[in-house]
Amino acid sequence: MQKITGKQIKDVVAGDGIVKDANENLKVNVNTNRLKIVNDIVDLVTGSMVEVYRNATQSIPSSSNYTKVQFNSKVVDSLNEFDISTNYRFTATKAGRFLVTCTVGFSSMKGYRGIALYKNGSTTNKIVGHGDDTQLLASNNTIQQLNFSHTIDLDIGDYIEIWVRQQDSGNINIDANTTRLTITQLIIL
């Protein structure tokens, strides 16, 4: 938090929820949950910003079941909400609406591939699919990326995870260079 001094207040222009009375005193009329004022200290409330990735390949078994992606390295985690060592999940410390963007690169692409967003242990979104299952049929051997972006509402303590599946003749790896997850809080509730 940063305390705003009298000199700084005189330089503030009225508007955006700040009004001046007849004596040039500032009054704050804020209709947002991103600004908090306590004892003349103004604090901009920040939301979540997370970017995590795989720093090595992860083997995914050939199965109709999904396997959790173990994101084990951080680029940024503004509120320390992502566990990269045990549960490999994001747990919200503030309620709000979040934008989740994920890319998973598979090292071999023969057979079916799927990616799913789980909230509190249950599937909330799967990509590229048909029927009740989300699958992608690939016919070549190049690295193929599955991507998605999804907005999701979370309460404090809710958690999200990324799970993938593949059905081929054996295990394949997800790529360390392309498997990334970003989570940005759009609205703080």
Side-chain angles (χ1 to χ4, degrees):
M1 286 193 216
Q2 179 181 354
K3 186 169 183 170
I4 296 178
T5 66
K7 181 177 184 324
Q8 291 169 318
I9 289 177
K10 290 183 190 266
D11 295 335
V12 173
V13 177
D16 294 326
I18 300 175
V19 295
K20 289 185 179 181
D21 66 15
N23 297 322
E24 292 292 309
N25 294 316
L26 290 176
K27 296 194 180 223
V28 179
N29 180 16
V30 179
N31 186 15
T32 179
N33 53 7
R34 290 189 180 258
L35 185 66
K36 179 171 60 174
I37 301 175
V38 178
N39 298 327
D40 295 327
I41 298 174
V42 177
D43 182 28
L44 180 63
V45 180
T46 57
S48 302
M49 171 65 83
V50 170
E51 182 179 354
V52 292
Y53 65 97
R54 287 278 317 153
N55 68 5
T57 59
Q58 178 183 341
S59 180
I60 305 299
S62 179
S63 173
S64 59
N65 297 320
Y66 281 79
T67 300
K68 187 191 306 189
V69 177
Q70 296 177 353
F71 293 101
N72 59 1
S73 295
K74 293 181 187 182
V75 175
V76 65
D77 187 356
S78 64
L79 300 176
N80 198 29
E81 295 169 298
F82 202 94
D83 177 359
I84 60 168
S85 60
T86 307
N87 293 314
Y88 307 103
R89 69 171 86 154
F90 171 87
T91 303
T93 60
K94 296 181 180 180
R97 178 161 295 143
F98 296 79
L99 174 64
V100 179
T101 304
C102 186
T103 299
V104 176
F106 290 91
S107 61
S108 171
M109 286 305 292
K110 286 187 177 179
Y112 291 101
R113 306 290 179 266
I115 185 172
L117 172 65
Y118 280 57
K119 175 182 176 182
N120 298 330
S122 299
T123 306
T124 62
N125 188 38
K126 294 181 182 179
I127 66 152
V128 191
H130 58 277
D132 189 37
D133 202 4
T134 303
Q135 303 174 44
L136 175 66
L137 180 60
S139 60
N140 59 29
N141 276 325
T142 61
I143 291 176
Q144 182 164 359
Q145 296 178 2
L146 296 181
N147 305 291
F148 79 87
S149 292
H150 183 72
T151 57
I152 187 168
D153 291 337
L154 298 176
D155 290 324
I156 295 172
D158 283 349
Y159 64 91
I160 54 177
E161 304 161 312
I162 303 299
W163 293 66
V164 295
R165 66 169 283 200
Q166 63 91 12
Q167 281 186 283
D168 199 349
S169 59
N171 295 352
I172 64 165
N173 291 331
I174 54 175
D175 186 57
N177 296 319
T178 58
T179 302
R180 292 190 169 267
L181 172 66
T182 59
I183 302 165
T184 306
Q185 190 162 13
L186 303 174
I187 299 172
I188 300 173
L189 301 177

